[in-house]
Amino acid sequence: MIVGLDMGGTNIDGVIIEDGRVVKRVKKPTNRDGLFESIWITLGELLSGYDKYKIDRINLSTTVSTNAIVESKTSPVGMIIQSGPGMPYDFLACGNENVFISGYIDHRGEVIEGFQISEIEKSIRLFKEKNIDSCAIVTKFSTRNPKFERNIKEILEKDFSPITMGHTMSGKLNFPRRVYTSYLNSAVHNTFNDFSNNIRKSLEREGIDAPIFILKADGGTMNISTAEEKPVETILSGPAASFMGINAMLPTNEDAILLDIGGTTTDIFFLADGVPLFEPLGIKIDKYNTLVRAIYSVSIGLGGDSSISIENSKIKIGPRREGIPYAFGGPKPTPTDAMIALGLIKEGNKEAAHNSMATLGTKLNITPKDMAKLILENMGDIIKDKVDELLYVINSQPVYTVKELLYGKKIEPKLINIIGGPANVLASILEKKFNLPCYFPKDYHVANAIGAALAKPTTEINMVANTSQGVLSVPELELYEKISRNYTVDKARKRAMELIKESALSLGATKDEIEAEIVEENSFNMVRGFYTTGKNIRIKAQVKPGLIHELRSDMND
């Protein structure tokens, strides 16, 4: 048995999947003030009547890290940044205190100038005065040589925790993004670890010792121990679960629009020939560009529980959710009330829903029924306008997918796949708006939890083999090993495949789940004066997102 849990802004969804079938489904309201309690109630109801010793794994999609950042509820962080010469550094400032230190390592990984111990001592005093416990250390080109970051961490670690070192976040070269990624990792560390510790304790109390995996932004998972070290990777795990759920239940090899319409937000994704688009550098969260590997997704404040008002004789839906729908005792009319008033949803107080539509309708001088229809049409227009806007931007630049970079590719959607609570209601409206077929699966209302349950562990490594220095490095794994001057691309390729598989196993993957591949490979001659001194070999390898196993074909309508 696999248990999948998805924590949304409105509901927590849970499923049990056994032998490729969903055998139980649970949907519970999310209590923002008692997030952990909400999860525990959902898990308790989900497992009632089932043998908990048969659970192979628990896959969890959580909004904990995302919410902490968006709601500015992160821990204070002290930043130590070494930017080197030739770069103004004011724009790199983030966190609560920033200390910019001297010293420099060049792009080859050679130390040009060391840092001053007195600068680090000053940082320690400053951070202590401000009661800052969490730190991040980021030096330019630390992916080529992490010496300074490691040395500074040794000085800090008796006084501060957690400490994030920039080179461990990603092997990609982008110094500003590395700074922001390192900051966010330390900023959400305590929040995520409080959450994970509560999960562990409660499962132990119930006698459940199944491994726990957390969804990542790239549509894969990692074991909870790795997530505790790199909680920044769990940002946007909710949209990742959405994508995997759609992919599991409605597979296609066409260009497609994928939508998850929840209670609070609508998440939008695209496929190019059935393959998900990827963020080429990393996701942006709040105001921070990061190196966090992710499926391309855009979230808008539009959902079944979005509050509705009339402003300047026009309907305004969202972007805020101000509570549950009016039909369930909430404060304001919502699209869910429109659906209830039209008889499209059988739950809730239909009279209250009708009255909420009547109140809005009087402001536009239309009937409650017409008001409800207009709201749903308006939802369709908002989604259509946003999708058109995104496609225009995507098609004006190279298309990046999880597999490759597609030059000259234009996304021309042939269909829409939709999940989420209102999926069955909005499918027909969206078909007319887009003039495309719109499909939704049987379990559209708990698709996120299904996606979470079936997501496999994923990972990526960026290897550099510098034969003139005799060093092979993989920053994500903190691996630096000696190589000979005659080290070849073939040897590098073989070593990369060994390491990516080892990395996947360390994240909790089983051998039969690992589909490793090399996605980029380059080799450059290193020249000094008139002589070739060696080669610089660069290889990127990945275990791409995928499903633990296929759902049985009788799962879908």
Side-chain angles (χ1 to χ4, degrees):
M1 292 197 315
I2 302 171
V3 171
L5 287 173
D6 174 68
M7 291 171 50
T10 306
N11 294 300
I12 295 181
D13 299 336
V15 296
I16 296 175
I17 296 179
E18 190 170 20
D19 299 327
R21 292 178 62 93
V22 179
V23 295
K24 191 166 184 182
R25 309 153 183 83
V26 169
K27 184 182 284 286
K28 290 287 184 183
T30 301
N31 177 0
R32 294 282 187 102
D33 298 321
L35 208 51
F36 175 73
E37 184 185 356
S38 296
I39 291 178
W40 194 242
I41 289 170
T42 306
L43 195 57
E45 184 171 324
L46 187 66
L47 296 178
S48 176
Y50 284 84
D51 183 356
K52 57 193 175 187
Y53 298 106
K54 289 175 66 179
I55 300 171
D56 290 322
R57 71 172 87 191
I58 298 172
N59 280 4
L60 177 64
S61 160
T62 169
T63 57
V64 166
S65 297
T66 306
N67 289 348
I69 294 166
V70 173
E71 296 169 9
S72 298
K73 294 180 179 177
T74 53
S75 301
V77 178
M79 300 293 298
I80 295 177
I81 302 170
Q82 185 188 66
S83 57
M87 174 182 263
Y89 52 73
D90 291 355
F91 76 96
L92 294 171
C94 53
N96 299 74
E97 287 293 339
N98 292 261
V99 178
F100 293 92
I101 63 172
S102 59
Y104 180 46
I105 289 174
D106 73 5
H107 67 283
R108 291 187 175 91
E110 295 179 3
V111 175
I112 305 301
E113 179 191 339
F115 64 88
Q116 302 296 316
I117 293 292
S118 59
E119 294 173 329
I120 310 306
E121 292 171 344
K122 176 188 171 186
S123 305
I124 292 172
R125 289 194 300 272
L126 179 63
F127 297 164
K128 283 185 173 181
E129 284 170 11
K130 298 294 177 71
N131 294 317
I132 293 172
D133 296 319
S134 304
C135 298
I137 309 155
V138 194
T139 68
K140 199 172 184 184
F141 293 117
S142 60
T143 53
R144 297 288 185 260
N145 184 347
K147 177 181 172 63
F148 288 169
E149 289 184 358
R150 287 175 167 176
N151 290 349
I152 295 169
K153 183 186 180 187
E154 286 178 12
I155 299 168
L156 295 181
E157 57 191 358
K158 68 177 185 295
D159 295 304
F160 302 96
S161 180
I163 301 171
T164 299
M165 294 184 291
H167 72 277
T168 65
M169 291 292 96
S170 171
K172 295 175 185 172
L173 284 177
N174 191 307
F175 184 53
R177 284 179 178 262
R178 188 181 321 287
V179 170
Y180 301 140
T181 308
S182 303
Y183 157 63
L184 291 174
N185 194 65
S186 285
V188 300
H189 184 278
N190 291 338
T191 301
F192 183 84
N193 276 255
D194 286 345
F195 168 78
S196 65
N197 285 335
N198 279 326
I199 289 284
R200 287 176 186 273
K201 287 176 187 174
S202 297
L203 291 174
E204 285 172 14
R205 191 174 65 229
E206 293 298 315
I208 299 171
D209 63 355
I212 309 164
F213 291 81
I214 306 294
L215 264 285
K216 303 192 298 177
D218 69 355
T221 62
M222 57 183 167
N223 57 33
I224 197 166
S225 299
T226 307
E228 287 166 344
E229 292 174 18
K230 295 186 177 181
V232 71
E233 297 278 356
T234 69
I235 292 169
L236 300 188
S237 79
S242 304
F243 172 80
M244 296 308 290
I246 303 172
N247 202 37
M249 293 190 284
L250 296 170
T252 178
N253 58 6
E254 303 261 30
D255 287 3
I257 302 162
L258 309 185
L259 300 171
D260 173 19
I261 305 176
T264 308
T265 60
T266 292
D267 295 324
I268 304 167
F269 314 85
F270 297 95
L271 298 179
D273 302 322
V275 180
L277 268 57
F278 243 56
E279 295 283 4
L281 296 174
I283 54 173
K284 182 176 185 179
I285 179 79
D286 198 18
K287 60 187 177 184
Y288 302 105
N289 288 312
T290 76
L291 288 170
V292 176
R293 171 180 146 94
I295 290 170
Y296 175 91
S297 68
V298 173
S299 183
I300 58 175
L302 178 74
D305 293 356
S306 296
S307 64
I308 301 174
S309 57
I310 305 296
E311 296 181 10
N312 300 320
S313 299
K314 290 184 179 179
I315 300 171
K316 185 174 187 295
I317 307 177
R320 290 177 57 83
R321 174 187 183 271
E322 296 186 25
I324 57 179
Y326 199 78
F328 294 95
K332 283 200 171 182
T334 68
T336 297
D337 292 304
M339 297 174 202
I340 292 170
L342 291 170
L344 301 172
I345 293 178
K346 304 303 180 186
E347 299 160 353
N349 184 328
K350 188 171 182 179
E351 184 180 349
H354 181 274
N355 291 341
S356 72
M357 293 299 105
T359 302
L360 291 173
T362 55
K363 297 178 181 179
L364 296 181
N365 200 27
I366 58 176
T367 66
K369 184 176 182 181
D370 286 342
M371 186 71 230
K373 288 180 178 178
L374 194 58
I375 286 167
L376 300 187
E377 289 291 325
N378 202 257
M379 283 187 82
D381 288 333
I382 292 170
I383 293 169
K384 174 72 162 59
D385 290 346
K386 189 63 181 181
V387 167
D388 287 348
E389 175 192 322
L390 295 174
L391 280 172
Y392 177 80
V393 174
I394 288 167
N395 285 333
S396 65
Q397 56 199 21
V399 173
Y400 290 84
T401 73
V402 67
K403 285 175 66 176
E404 59 193 325
L405 166 59
L406 301 175
Y407 286 106
K409 168 71 178 177
K410 301 295 182 191
I411 306 291
E412 297 176 354
K414 301 295 189 294
L415 57 94
I416 303 168
N417 286 335
I418 180 174
I419 60 168
N424 61 329
V425 173
L426 290 175
S428 59
I429 292 170
L430 292 171
E431 279 193 341
K432 291 173 186 171
K433 300 287 182 190
F434 284 88
N435 195 27
L436 291 172
C438 187
Y439 305 102
F440 59 91
K442 179 182 176 184
D443 276 313
Y444 61 87
H445 56 299
V446 289
N448 286 24
I450 293 170
L454 293 177
K456 293 197 301 188
T458 56
T459 185
E460 176 187 81
I461 62 169
N462 291 269
M463 172 193 284
V464 176
N466 186 325
T467 65
S468 66
Q469 289 183 332
V471 175
L472 181 148
S473 63
V474 182
E476 295 95 341
L477 305 180
E478 289 199 76
L479 183 143
Y480 299 85
E481 58 190 28
K482 292 183 178 180
I483 55 174
S484 67
R485 291 180 65 86
N486 59 1
Y487 199 79
T488 63
V489 173
D490 285 342
K491 287 181 179 177
R493 192 184 298 122
K494 183 180 177 184
R495 184 69 177 129
M497 291 297 281
E498 289 172 356
L499 290 171
I500 194 70
K501 290 174 183 177
E502 287 175 17
S503 176
L505 291 171
S506 73
L507 294 176
T510 58
K511 285 185 178 180
D512 59 340
E513 288 174 352
I514 299 172
E515 292 180 50
E517 60 184 2
I518 289 171
V519 287
E520 287 181 25
E521 182 182 297
N522 296 291
S523 179
F524 308 95
N525 286 330
M526 306 282 284
V527 178
R528 286 226 172 140
F530 297 101
Y531 301 98
T532 300
T533 59
K535 288 188 178 295
N536 186 294
I537 302 166
R538 300 177 188 179
I539 292 178
K540 180 188 288 185
Q542 71 170 3
V543 174
K544 65 183 179 183
L547 303 173
I548 293 171
H549 54 66
E550 302 296 322
L551 282 172
R552 284 179 46 168
S553 58
D554 59 356
M555 280 291 303
N556 300 332
D557 283 341

